[in-house]
């Protein structure tokens, strides 16, 4: 078990909670928004709905400060940048969760944040958080790869720190989610299901589980099952996807930064990476909200879609304990929710009788 419960009645953020397992020193000035300690929620209805004799837990990462798992890596990346000396600004290329986390933690660290994006591909709803936190958003005449190239080139200068997933310290922060799962359950689950985009999370969870297992804090290791969207499945297809396409924008990535780490996690854990369709993702997305009260962004529903698929294929033994990570909040992508066939408000006269009639009571 981690020591925070005894020593820290209030959660101190992941770096303080797991300091001995992270690349920091006693002198390190920590930049935190008290990320981590997210709920592990037992799914009460989904197993029955899909006819599976399993114990299912949802690691609900939407409860991080900027509403996605990215905060775990960002507290580490920003702490490293703030302690390096000479850094004036952090930079990233991202339209979504990374830019939100980078801008929030940069404001905390008293650093400038810069987000570089392809012009015309900017959904302001996605960037609203970053802009509120004070990021400078720069649109370039080019594509996402061009943006990332510029980020890398600027990152070679001492006054800039890159906080995209090419920064390896992000994985260190993200592995703490595996520690939390083991701390709550008492050991690792039989299976861990995750969405796979840049593949940092599946890499990080596997690293965390291995460290706890090595140190005797978990008797077993889970099998890692990662899920890519059908139009954006470079690891499954074993090729770079030039124009990835899926409703699950957070995993719409054609050339994952942690490709090798993901393949190692799957090989070493006797796991798998497979494909789910957008239709399967949206079914699972609605199911999580309707049956469990959990509203997630579409990418987060990929592991539940994957669970349904794996169960149908007979890959999950009865009695298995499964953890599925949902990576971001549904309000990250309200357009998908509104357009996904949910019921609209019904207008009736302003009387109790009219409301009762509508309800059929």
């Amino acid at each position: 078990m981690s020591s925070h419960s005894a020593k820290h009645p209030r959660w101190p953020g992941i770096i303080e909670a797991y300091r001995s397992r992270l690349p920091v020193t006693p002198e390190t000035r920590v930049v935190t928004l008290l990320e981590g300690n997210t709920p592990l929620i037992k799914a009460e209805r989904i197993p029955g709905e899909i006819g599976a004799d399993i114990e299912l837990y949802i690691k609900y990462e939407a409860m991080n400060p900027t509403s996605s798992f990215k905060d775990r890596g960002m507290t580490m990346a920003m702490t490293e940048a703030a302690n390096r000396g000479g850094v004036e600004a952090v930079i990233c290329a991202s339209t979504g969760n990374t830019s939100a986390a980078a801008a929030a933690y940069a404001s905390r660290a008293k650093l400038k944040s810069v987000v570089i994006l392809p012009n015309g591909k900017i959904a302001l709803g996605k960037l609203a958080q970053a802009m509120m936190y004070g990021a400078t958003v720069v649109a370039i005449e080019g594509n996402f790869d061009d943006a990332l190239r510029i980020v890398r080139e600027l990152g070679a200068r001492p006054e800039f720190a890159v906080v995209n997933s090419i920064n390896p310290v992000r994985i260190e922060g993200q592995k703490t989610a595996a520690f939390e799962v083991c701390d709550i359950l008492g050991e690792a689950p039989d299976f861990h299901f995750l969405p796979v985009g840049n593949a940092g999370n599946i890499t990080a969870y596997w690293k965390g589980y291995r460290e706890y297992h090595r140190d005797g804090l978990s008797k077993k290791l889970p099998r890692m099952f990662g899920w890519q969207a059908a139009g954006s499945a470079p690891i499954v297809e074993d090729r770079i996807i030039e124009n990835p396409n899926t409703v699950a924008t957070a995993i719409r990535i054609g050339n994952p930064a942690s490709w090798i780490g993901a393949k190692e996690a799957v090989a070493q854990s006797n796991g798998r990476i497979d494909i789910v369709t957008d239709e399967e993702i949206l079914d699972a997305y609605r199911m999580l909200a309707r049956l469990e009260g959990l509203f997630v962004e579409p990418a987060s529903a990929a592991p539940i879609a994957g669970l349904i698929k794996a169960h149908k294929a007979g890959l999950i033994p009865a009695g298995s304990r499964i953890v599925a990570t949902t990576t971001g909040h549904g309000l990250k992508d309200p357009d998908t929710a509104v357009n996904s066939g949910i019921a609209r408000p019904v207008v009736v006269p302003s009387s109790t009788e009219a409301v009762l009639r509508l309800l059929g009571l």
Side-chain angles (χ1 to χ4, degrees):
M1 296 285 284
S2 74
S3 58
H4 64 259
S5 49
K7 285 190 192 159
H8 308 283
R10 295 199 180 115
W11 176 256
I14 62 166
I15 295 178
E16 292 299 349
Y18 297 107
R19 189 177 258 277
S20 65
R21 299 185 168 277
L22 294 168
V24 290
T25 69
E27 290 72 48
T28 301
R29 180 173 73 85
V30 174
V31 180
T32 182
L33 286 163
L34 306 186
E35 59 298 308
N37 197 27
T38 55
L40 189 68
I41 301 168
K42 189 170 187 184
E44 303 285 354
R45 296 172 66 189
I46 285 175
E49 177 85 359
I50 67 174
D53 172 18
I54 56 170
E55 206 176 302
L56 174 62
Y57 294 88
I58 308 296
K59 185 64 169 152
Y60 192 59
E61 289 288 271
M63 294 300 285
N64 278 299
T66 74
S67 304
S68 92
F69 78 98
K70 300 283 187 181
D71 295 347
R72 289 182 187 275
M74 206 52 74
T75 182
M76 278 300 311
M78 209 60 65
T79 293
E80 192 268 330
N83 284 272
R84 196 192 300 170
V87 173
E88 293 168 27
V90 297
I91 49 167
C92 68
S94 161
T95 55
N97 295 330
T98 298
S99 64
Y105 282 80
S107 70
R108 205 67 189 164
K110 306 184 189 69
L111 293 169
K112 294 194 192 88
S113 57
V114 181
V115 180
I116 298 181
L117 296 167
N119 188 29
K121 295 286 197 304
I122 301 176
L124 288 180
K126 282 264 176 195
L127 280 171
Q129 278 181 286
M131 293 165 88
M132 281 299 293
Y133 297 132
T136 301
V137 179
V138 183
I140 58 156
E141 300 292 349
N143 63 19
F144 193 82
D145 291 330
D146 295 323
L148 197 54
R149 174 180 52 76
I150 291 169
V151 164
R152 283 178 189 270
E153 286 170 10
L154 287 174
R157 298 167 65 107
E159 66 269 36
F160 288 104
V162 177
V163 293
N164 272 103
S165 2
I166 48 181
N167 181 338
V169 83
R170 291 249 316 253
I171 300 285
E172 293 296 313
Q174 285 168 225
K175 75 182 181 187
T176 58
F179 301 160
E180 290 176 23
V181 169
C182 295
D183 289 345
I184 291 167
L185 295 180
E187 64 178 348
D190 299 308
F191 293 86
H192 197 119
F193 280 59
L194 295 130
V196 174
N198 238 332
N201 238 353
I202 192 167
T203 304
Y205 272 88
W206 181 239
K207 190 173 200 287
Y209 282 129
R210 276 203 330 254
E211 286 182 20
Y212 254 38
H213 182 256
R214 176 195 70 203
D215 296 340
L217 294 167
S218 172
K219 293 192 293 289
K220 62 184 180 192
L221 287 164
R223 296 177 66 191
M224 305 298 293
F225 275 44
W227 299 89
Q228 297 198 297
S232 179
I235 298 176
V236 179
E237 295 182 25
D238 201 27
R239 66 185 179 93
I240 293 169
I241 308 289
E242 293 296 340
N243 294 299
N245 189 29
T246 169
V247 68
T249 53
I251 55 172
R252 192 163 68 201
I253 291 165
N255 188 8
S258 299
W259 192 318
I260 294 164
K263 290 192 83 158
E264 284 174 356
V266 167
Q268 292 167 7
S269 73
N270 187 28
R272 66 194 290 134
I273 291 185
D274 207 343
I275 286 175
V276 281
T277 65
D278 277 9
E279 191 180 0
E280 289 167 330
I281 287 170
L282 290 174
D283 283 347
Y285 165 76
R286 289 184 285 262
M287 185 188 283
L288 271 165
R290 185 171 44 87
L291 298 183
E292 304 294 351
L294 298 175
F295 183 30
V296 301
E297 64 179 335
S300 292
I304 300 302
L307 174 61
I308 296 167
K309 187 170 176 173
H311 168 63
K312 279 183 187 159
L315 298 173
I316 311 292
S320 293
R321 181 186 264 182
I322 297 164
V323 172
T325 296
T326 58
T327 44
H329 201 286
L331 291 173
K332 293 277 189 178
D333 187 359
D335 293 348
T336 298
V338 171
N339 296 325
S340 74
I342 53 175
R344 294 293 199 277
V346 181
V347 181
V348 297
S350 65
S351 72
T352 309
E353 292 75 24
V355 173
L356 284 168
R357 264 201 310 278
L358 173 72
L359 297 176
L361 298 170

